[in-house]
Amino acid sequence: MNIKPSVGISIRIALVCLAAHGACQCLQGESDLHFRLVDSTLIVVSVNSGKESSLEFVLDTGTDTTVIDPSIASRLSFVAMDRIRVVSLREPNLVVRGSIPSLSAGPFQVEDVPVLVKDLSSMRRLDSHIVGIVGQNFLSHFNYLIDYGRHRVCIESGNEIRDITDGDHVAIESTENRMMVHSEAQSRGNVKMRLVLDSGAHSVVLLHTASQMLSIPRHATALTETSDGQVELQMGRVRLLTVGSQQFHDIAALLLAFDPGVPMGDGLLPTMLFRAVYVNNHEGFVVFNPRTRKK
């Protein structure tokens, strides 16, 4: 789910990225995909679909279904099925649901991929080359490493990354094509939470119920840019956020004034908080700031 404070607000949220000394290196080869960061947050990779190659898609672990802009639907041989109501951080809207014959990243391909056709003009204003979003219904087929330091996404063909990786295995709870990890937050209160691991988020986002249980003081209001346009959110700080062995002190958070009808647990945990993230969908765990195993 793409969510980021708007450039126009006066208070900029600073995120502290943990240093990952000895972070796992991608294995060189076809599985090593370069990405570029758009607006300091969005991971943009090149994907292929049928005869269409080098399509610029945002890789978003917080989006359950792959999305394409209407401008490329016919080029990808999109077959419409129906219209569905999609609930977002703004308001529900109707979108066309269907499928495309295939989608591939490097040598890795998924056939008959369900997609939504949705206007991505807010993203395209940031970068006109963006024509889609790679969601969890594609990504969940693979194990992969997101390496922010080297701007690489490495997709695992076997167990080659897992076998050289050291670090805590944090269990993934898969709910409706969203990856949730357990965490604990402390402010005036102390709450155990389930947060969606989200590569499209710039800041920690907490739903209304979670922020109320933590009794987080509201400091300001921010206009926040999402893939559906701008949303007004309140800003606060969490005294301590613990995920596995990783801890964040006095971390900024965006606070929803409501609990949307979206399966997002208690909020969003940005992958960009970490130097690198290894996701093992086949065995159901994630490693934050992985280290190369000593021989």
Side-chain angles (χ1 to χ4, degrees):
M1 181 180 292
N2 170 235
I3 180 165
K4 181 183 178 183
S6 170
V7 175
I9 66 175
S10 58
I11 301 176
R12 193 69 174 175
I13 294 179
L15 297 178
V16 179
C17 294
L18 295 183
H21 300 291
C24 269
Q25 298 294 309
C26 289
L27 301 180
Q28 295 298 318
E30 290 183 321
S31 64
D32 188 351
L33 306 175
H34 173 76
F35 70 77
R36 56 192 179 86
L37 281 178
V38 170
D39 205 24
S40 77
T41 303
L42 302 180
I43 297 175
V44 178
V45 295
S46 181
V47 299
N48 306 315
S49 181
K51 296 180 180 179
E52 297 290 332
S53 61
S54 300
L55 300 166
E56 300 283 273
F57 274 48
V58 172
L59 186 155
D60 191 348
T61 63
T63 296
D64 60 345
T65 305
T66 296
V67 179
I68 60 175
D69 191 78
S71 63
I72 65 163
S74 61
R75 288 166 49 194
L76 303 189
S77 301
F78 171 75
V79 177
M81 183 172 66
D82 57 14
R83 284 180 173 268
I84 63 170
R85 184 175 296 275
V86 174
V87 179
S88 69
L89 294 183
R90 296 186 72 197
E91 65 277 330
N93 53 82
L94 287 174
V95 300
V96 178
R97 177 173 60 176
S99 64
I100 57 177
S102 67
L103 188 67
S104 60
F108 302 97
Q109 179 170 298
V110 176
E111 297 182 351
D112 193 24
V113 181
V115 299
L116 303 178
V117 176
K118 182 179 174 184
D119 180 10
L120 297 177
S121 57
S122 62
M123 280 188 177
R124 290 168 63 82
R125 281 193 293 270
L126 298 174
D127 190 308
S128 61
H129 297 97
I130 294 173
V131 293
I133 302 172
V134 176
Q136 274 296 102
N137 67 331
F138 178 84
L139 295 171
S140 62
H141 288 83
F142 312 109
N143 300 336
Y144 54 89
L145 173 74
I146 300 175
D147 186 336
Y148 281 99
R150 298 178 66 240
H151 282 208
R152 293 288 188 269
V153 175
C154 309
I155 302 177
E156 199 170 41
S157 58
N159 296 317
E160 63 273 13
I161 300 176
R162 186 198 67 178
D163 290 346
I164 64 167
T165 298
D166 267 341
D168 294 337
H169 289 198
V170 179
I172 295 172
E173 178 185 328
S174 296
T175 303
E176 296 188 31
N177 261 346
R178 283 185 168 87
M179 291 190 295
M180 297 191 190
V181 294
H182 289 267
S183 64
E184 184 172 345
Q186 297 177 24
S187 188
R188 292 176 178 171
N190 189 321
V191 178
K192 294 184 183 299
M193 300 187 299
R194 294 153 58 244
L195 299 177
V196 173
L197 190 59
D198 193 342
S199 62
H202 183 270
S203 174
V204 171
V205 178
L206 296 180
L207 271 61
H208 179 68
T209 299
S211 64
Q212 288 289 99
M213 292 175 66
L214 284 166
S215 300
I216 298 176
R218 270 67 169 167
H219 298 309
T221 298
L223 281 178
T224 302
E225 193 69 39
T226 77
S227 57
D228 296 307
Q230 289 187 335
V231 178
E232 188 175 281
L233 299 177
Q234 293 180 310
M235 300 167 62
R237 303 195 74 85
V238 176
R239 184 166 61 85
L240 177 64
L241 177 65
T242 303
V243 187
S245 62
Q246 308 294 321
Q247 290 191 326
F248 301 91
H249 297 267
D250 190 31
I251 187 171
L254 295 176
L255 312 174
L256 289 179
F258 58 94
D259 288 340
V262 180
M264 52 187 290
D266 297 297
L268 307 177
L269 178 70
T271 58
M272 68 177 299
L273 283 177
F274 308 94
R275 183 65 180 76
V277 178
Y278 170 58
V279 177
N280 191 310
N281 282 300
H282 297 160
E283 297 178 55
F285 68 87
V286 60
V287 179
F288 298 113
N289 293 333
R291 303 178 303 276
T292 302
R293 181 170 298 160
K294 295 180 180 179
K295 295 181 180 180

